[in-house]
Amino acid sequence: MKIHEYQAKKLFAAYGIPVEKHLLCETPAEIRTAFKKLGNKTAVVKAQVLTGGRGKAGGVKLVHNEEEAFKQANAILNMEIKGLQVKKVLLSEAVDIKSEYYVSFTIDRNTRSVILMLSASGGMDIEEVARLNPEKIQRFIIDPFIGLPDFLARQYAFTLFKEIENVNSMAVILQSLYRLFVEKDVSLAEINPLVLTNNGTLVAIDGKLVFDDNALYRHPDISALNEPTEEERTEAYARSCGFSYVRMDGSIGCMVNGAGLAMATMDLIKLYGASPANFLDIGGSSNPRKVTDAMQLLLADPKVCVVLINIFGGITRCDDVAQGLIQAVEMLKPSIPIVVRLTGTNEQEGRALLAGKQFFIAQSLEEAAQKAVSLFNELP
Ligand code: GDP
Ligand code: MN
């Protein structure tokens, strides 16, 4: 689970990590009050969306007076950044930046440890730095039994700073962020940039926290911060129906029972030259209701141009699935082509039920995938 910058900064502050003064606003009018309250000559208006690269997308603007703040907030609110609608902006006091650093803790699966990453190339897209200048990022494995005692925190801090005052502040920031990481079951804690100001202080002017979903039950305070995106809401709804559902970028909506079969179906769609719109495993059992729910889910996705249904009847009976499909099309009246492949228990009965209706029936998996792709290619 991701949280917004303003939420991350609240946690940073609670853990003793210095952040700049800031106020959250939901309307351009609130920005005026906030600007006065901040009382600074210059401020920064920042889009609060759950993605990085806001600066590049025009979602971070330096402003010099109330009027400018109002104008920029107006422009940024309702802006879309990487497909996400901006609903809130942060008005931050502008910080006089001398240099920018990157700091993060994350889980490294190879070493099965928390890993600290530090770079003096902060403020930039860290993936870009990792690709072009990997030597500019330092990585330190944290032994879970040792954690980050003073001597290590200072040793790591010395890799970025020479002045002892900076080293001291940095060591405290590293320890605080690590404590936050461990105590709140964080999977990524990132400050980019952590800045050294012209006054010689260190301030976290951006923050990103991603939490381990499987540990959220231990942290009701963190769960309460959740603001699911449209996509996450859909995925949560799918979970409540008993499905495994992951949205993707393609155009062929898939409804399959069994994760392995779902993967194979997606592979074949790719093989024949199209892309799946989703992974959807509707699981076992023959409840026709499931098929209706799944169909509703697929049709609600505007990217889906063709539906491909691939069911292997074991405990699931193909005639039950066919009943569900018939109910679903009667109810939802889909206007897009639907390809169905039913095999296994009661497949004859299932196919007989579907005959003469609006379905394209396929016998084999290959035929079904090929048919779905060719129907997609024929679309205007
Ligand atoms: P991101 O683009 O989503 O990572 O948003 P950030 O909050 O990291 O802001 C992007 C960049 O804007 C930072 O790396 C800084 O260079 C700049 N920036 C943000 N806040 C300030 C500020 O208070 N003063 C100055 N001078 N620059 C800022
Ligand atoms: Mn940033």
Side-chain angles (χ1 to χ4, degrees):
M1 180 190 118
K2 290 179 188 169
I3 60 171
H4 288 292
E5 174 193 6
Y6 76 90
Q7 298 170 315
K9 282 184 170 166
K10 205 165 182 181
L11 279 160
F12 285 177
Y15 275 80
I17 298 166
V19 295
E20 84 291 347
K21 267 197 287 178
H22 58 267
L23 293 160
L24 184 69
C25 305
E26 296 188 29
T27 63
E30 280 174 47
I31 277 275
R32 290 190 183 278
T33 332
F35 193 90
K36 287 190 196 98
K37 211 164 154 189
L38 212 57
N40 276 62
K41 281 204 189 70
T42 50
V44 186
V45 181
K46 306 176 83 177
Q48 297 298 289
V49 273
L50 297 174
T51 178
R54 295 165 304 164
K56 269 192 202 156
V60 178
K61 295 283 185 199
L62 201 67
V63 295
H64 303 89
N65 54 55
E66 189 188 312
E67 208 45 47
E68 240 184 285
F70 178 79
K71 265 197 198 142
Q72 290 296 355
N74 217 357
I76 292 173
L77 281 163
N78 297 318
M79 193 186 250
E80 224 182 58
I81 298 179
K82 295 184 187 166
L84 301 167
Q85 189 88 38
V86 181
K87 297 201 178 108
K88 294 172 193 169
V89 291
L90 201 64
L91 186 74
S92 290
E93 73 173 308
V95 174
D96 236 349
I97 300 176
K98 190 171 178 195
S99 42
E100 306 189 40
Y101 302 86
Y102 175 91
V103 183
S104 76
F105 287 98
T106 186
I107 308 278
D108 178 45
R109 289 180 189 278
N110 289 330
T111 53
R112 296 172 190 164
S113 308
V114 175
I115 186 161
L116 164 65
M117 287 198 261
L118 291 179
S119 176
S121 303
M124 294 176 235
D125 183 355
I126 200 68
E127 280 83 13
E128 192 89 349
V129 179
R131 203 162 48 82
L132 302 173
N133 303 97
E135 75 288 350
K136 290 192 174 164
I137 304 174
Q138 309 189 70
R139 307 164 126 255
F140 303 102
I141 296 163
I142 311 291
D143 185 317
F145 293 106
I146 297 173
L148 205 52
D150 291 350
F151 79 97
L152 282 176
R154 291 165 60 79
Q155 185 183 317
Y156 301 150
F158 265 115
T159 66
L160 292 182
F161 300 101
K162 283 197 203 74
E163 285 75 22
I164 195 68
E165 295 79 17
N166 297 337
V167 171
N168 288 341
S169 336
M170 184 63 181
V172 172
I173 291 172
L174 291 177
Q175 288 176 317
S176 307
L177 192 61
Y178 181 69
R179 193 161 63 84
L180 168 62
F181 186 92
V182 174
E183 285 181 2
K184 299 291 182 190
D185 289 305
V186 177
S187 56
L188 171 67
E190 184 183 271
I191 307 177
N192 187 26
L194 175 75
V195 302
L196 178 61
T197 67
N198 284 325
N199 306 332
T201 56
L202 289 173
V203 185
I205 65 168
D206 188 13
K208 178 175 177 182
L209 291 174
V210 183
F211 297 89
D212 180 351
D213 292 337
N214 294 316
L216 281 177
Y217 74 96
R218 301 206 282 204
H219 307 288
D221 57 328
I222 302 295
S223 298
L225 302 176
N226 192 20
E227 282 180 21
T229 59
E230 209 54 55
E231 195 162 320
E232 284 166 339
R233 259 196 278 272
T234 312
E235 290 184 3
Y237 167 74
R239 254 198 309 282
S240 75
C241 297
F243 304 150
S244 301
Y245 176 71
V246 182
R247 264 172 106 152
M248 272 163 304
D249 295 327
S251 310
I252 303 202
C254 307
M255 184 197 307
V256 189
N257 64 337
L261 192 59
M263 299 294 274
T265 307
M266 290 162 59
D267 280 351
L268 278 182
I269 291 170
K270 276 281 192 198
L271 180 70
Y272 294 126
S275 296
N278 63 279
F279 169 97
L280 173 58
D281 171 11
I282 63 166
S285 109
S286 282
N287 188 348
R289 171 76 200 276
K290 266 198 165 178
V291 180
T292 327
D293 286 344
M295 189 65 105
Q296 200 152 19
L297 198 62
L298 292 183
L299 295 176
D301 180 352
K303 293 194 308 308
V304 172
C305 304
V306 176
V307 170
L308 169 54
I309 295 160
N310 184 19
I311 301 293
F312 180 81
I315 298 168
T316 308
R317 291 170 31 180
C318 292
D319 52 332
D320 282 341
V321 173
Q323 292 288 9
L325 284 173
I326 291 165
Q327 281 174 27
V329 298
E330 273 168 10
M331 193 172 96
L332 304 166
K333 306 201 176 5
S335 54
I336 57 173
I338 301 171
V339 181
V340 186
R341 181 245 182 174
L342 297 174
T343 192
T345 310
N346 294 0
E347 61 177 74
Q348 307 294 355
E349 291 86 338
R351 283 198 209 120
L353 283 167
L354 296 180
K357 301 223 160 47
Q358 73 175 94
F359 306 101
F360 294 89
I361 311 288
Q363 306 287 330
S364 69
L365 175 49
E366 289 82 354
E367 189 195 339
Q370 252 167 332
K371 185 69 193 168
V373 173
S374 69
L375 283 166
F376 170 64
N377 290 333
E378 285 161 20
L379 291 174

